[in-house]
Amino acid sequence: MNSNTDLHFALEAKYYTSPDLFEKERSSLQSKTWLFACHESEIPNEGDYYAFELCGENLFVIRGKDGQERTFYNVCQHRAHQLVKRKGNCRLIICPYHSWTYELEGKLRSGPNLNAIQNLDRDGIKLQQVKTENFHGFIFLILMQMPLAWMNGFQVSGKPSQNMFPTYPSSNQCSGLKYPRNAIGKPRSKIIRNVIIAKSTTRLSRKV
């Protein structure tokens, strides 16, 4: 080996495989950062939902009757059963275990024998919501209760600054893209989402 050659060391293997280090990273970094959930084109209509796992948490984003996107933990408040799977549409969120039923906005609507429970605060029972923002059609969420500044400080009057970034394709533009249902082994929705991100990145790099 040439003695003049500088040696460069990679991270130890434990930083890639240790469950303890991953948990520290998840709790100290990932939970305090805005994370991408999906594009608004995944849930264009009232009642559309998209379920996913992020940082070890089971979540779903759903479009309410008011048109607002909301993210909830994918857990029933009764027996902690999973509420929805993958992607779909519903008029109400109904738990498949004991049929506890929630409005699209997360409020408990009904459930078996609820009227028989004395002093039940039904208004106080609702799905646990996660802070969610729509940024140019891209839906982000943050798991911590008191979120940090949006996009590492790009914030104007408490909301994302639209003027600091180029115009991204809208969901209407996205729906006009046509690709095979299965391309390169990936679902059509993922192909469309990747195209949107690629186009947006190219547009941003041209302006910088």
Side-chain angles (χ1 to χ4, degrees):
M1 179 182 294
N2 190 339
S3 59
N4 295 326
T5 301
D6 293 332
L7 296 179
H8 299 277
F9 296 93
L11 290 174
E12 297 180 36
K14 66 179 182 180
Y15 290 100
Y16 299 95
T17 61
S18 170
D20 292 336
L21 289 175
F22 173 73
E23 178 58 30
K24 289 181 180 179
E25 184 179 80
R26 189 189 69 82
S27 61
S28 63
L29 176 62
Q30 294 177 345
S31 64
K32 300 178 182 179
T33 304
W34 287 96
L35 302 171
F36 175 68
C38 67
H39 190 265
E40 64 180 12
S41 61
E42 299 278 8
I43 51 169
N45 304 310
E46 175 186 318
D48 285 350
Y49 61 82
Y50 181 83
F52 55 95
E53 183 176 317
L54 200 59
C55 299
E57 302 291 351
N58 196 354
L59 307 160
F60 70 98
V61 58
I62 189 168
R63 188 170 299 283
K65 295 179 180 179
D66 56 358
Q68 182 69 35
E69 305 101 349
R70 294 177 177 84
T71 304
F72 299 103
Y73 284 93
N74 197 359
V75 177
C76 180
Q77 298 300 290
H78 183 213
R79 298 295 185 186
H81 196 278
Q82 183 176 353
L83 293 169
V84 297
K85 294 181 179 180
R86 295 181 289 276
K87 181 179 177 180
N89 179 277
C90 61
R91 296 178 60 184
L92 296 167
I93 304 168
I94 303 176
C95 179
Y97 192 21
H98 289 121
S99 299
W100 274 39
T101 303
Y102 304 85
E103 302 286 353
L104 300 183
E105 293 71 34
K107 181 181 177 181
L108 178 65
R109 174 177 175 138
S110 63
N113 301 319
L114 287 183
N115 294 330
I117 303 175
Q118 296 183 358
N119 301 320
L120 175 66
D121 181 14
R122 186 176 301 192
D123 292 336
I125 301 176
K126 56 187 67 176
L127 298 179
Q128 186 175 353
Q129 191 169 346
V130 177
K131 177 69 174 176
T132 305
E133 293 285 353
N134 185 322
F135 186 69
H136 288 286
F138 295 91
I139 300 174
F140 289 84
L141 61 86
I142 188 167
L143 296 175
M144 68 181 301
Q145 295 298 317
M146 296 297 291
L148 303 176
W150 221 95
M151 286 294 192
N152 297 325
F154 294 131
Q155 189 174 18
V156 177
S157 301
K159 295 183 178 181
S161 174
Q162 303 291 328
N163 298 326
M164 300 186 69
F165 296 88
T167 302
Y168 289 89
S170 67
S171 58
N172 292 332
Q173 291 173 298
C174 174
S175 62
L177 298 175
K178 295 183 178 180
Y179 293 88
R181 181 172 296 274
N182 291 301
I184 322 178
K186 295 182 179 180
R188 179 185 175 193
S189 60
K190 290 186 178 180
I191 296 294
I192 293 177
R193 184 164 56 194
N194 291 340
V195 169
I196 293 173
I197 294 174
K199 286 187 175 182
S200 303
T201 303
T202 301
R203 191 177 301 174
L204 177 59
S205 63
R206 289 175 179 175
K207 290 194 174 186
V208 175

